[in-house]
Amino acid sequence: YLFAGSDEYAEHLAYLYAIIGTADKYGLNMQRYLTWLLRQVASCKITSGALEWLPHRMTQQKLNDFRD
């Protein structure tokens, strides 16, 4: 995190790495999942319901949408 620029950006990178690591653990197609996730973030109001966008909170059916 030396090159993150600030503590705040380093924290944001840690969140991103955690999301990517969790998606990998669940065997998701990373490009498909991150494309969907970024579109959700850009187009939806971020509320506590946004936690359901994280792989460990998704239903098995939704997870299957992001598997090859």
Side-chain angles (χ1 to χ4, degrees), residues 2-66:
L2 179 63
F3 301 105
S6 71
D7 291 343
E8 181 182 8
Y9 290 131
E11 188 175 337
H12 293 171
L13 282 173
Y15 295 142
L16 180 61
Y17 294 156
I19 291 169
I20 289 171
T22 304
D24 186 51
K25 176 183 174 185
Y26 281 83
L28 305 184
N29 176 307
M30 199 64 59
Q31 183 175 0
R32 189 179 307 149
Y33 172 68
L34 289 177
T35 299
W36 174 83
L37 181 62
L38 292 173
R39 285 185 179 147
Q40 290 291 104
V41 169
S43 65
C44 298
K45 184 176 181 182
I46 305 298
T47 65
S48 60
L51 292 175
E52 301 304 318
W53 301 342
L54 300 174
H56 68 282
R57 301 282 302 265
M58 289 181 168
T59 64
Q60 194 63 37
Q61 182 180 3
K62 188 66 176 173
L63 286 171
N64 288 338
D65 292 344
F66 301 111

